[in-house]
Amino acid sequence: MASNPGLAVLNTLVKQSGSGDAAEAAAWETTHNLTNVLVWADTTSYTYFNFGQALGGYYPFTMVVDIDTMELVYLLDTSSAEAMSSVQAILNADHTCADY
C-alpha cells in the first residue's frame, strides 16, 4: 500500500448472529496484527444480510468495490490474494481512483 497511498484496505467484521461493535473490531485488529488495514464492525448486520447470505453465509468473503462507479467488481468466499486481479484492474484503469 505504500506504493499506492490513496489505496485503502478495509476489513469489516460481520457476524451472522447480530451486529458487531467497535470493541470487537479493535480486538480483531489486535489479534490479527492488522497494521495496514482499517477494521470496522458492521453495526447493522447489513453486510451479512445483503452480501454474506448470497455466498451461503460463509466467512471470510472478499468484496472489491470500484469507488469511482460504486460497482461491486468482486464478491467471493476466497482469500484476499485471489481478489488482487480485481484490485489491479482498478489501479490500471484510466480514472481518478487509479491516480496515485
Side-chain angles (χ1 to χ4, degrees), residues 5 9 18 23-26 38-39 42 44 48 54 57 59 70 73 75 79 81:
V9 175
E24 289 175 314
L38 303 170
V39 181
D42 181 355
T44 64
Y48 175 76
Y59 295 103
M70 293 307 293
V73 296
L75 173 62
S79 70

Side-chain angles (χ1 to χ4, degrees), residues 34-53:
L34 299 174
T35 57
N36 292 320
V37 177
L38 303 170
V39 181
W40 294 351
D42 181 355
T43 60
T44 64
S45 298
Y46 181 89
T47 305
Y48 175 76
F49 289 116
N50 290 278
F51 300 104
Q53 283 185 334

Side-chain angles (χ1 to χ4, degrees), residues 11 13 24-37 39 60:
N11 183 308
L13 180 64
E24 289 175 314
W28 184 266
E29 180 178 37
T30 300
T31 299
H32 297 285
N33 195 29
L34 299 174
T35 57
N36 292 320
V37 177
V39 181

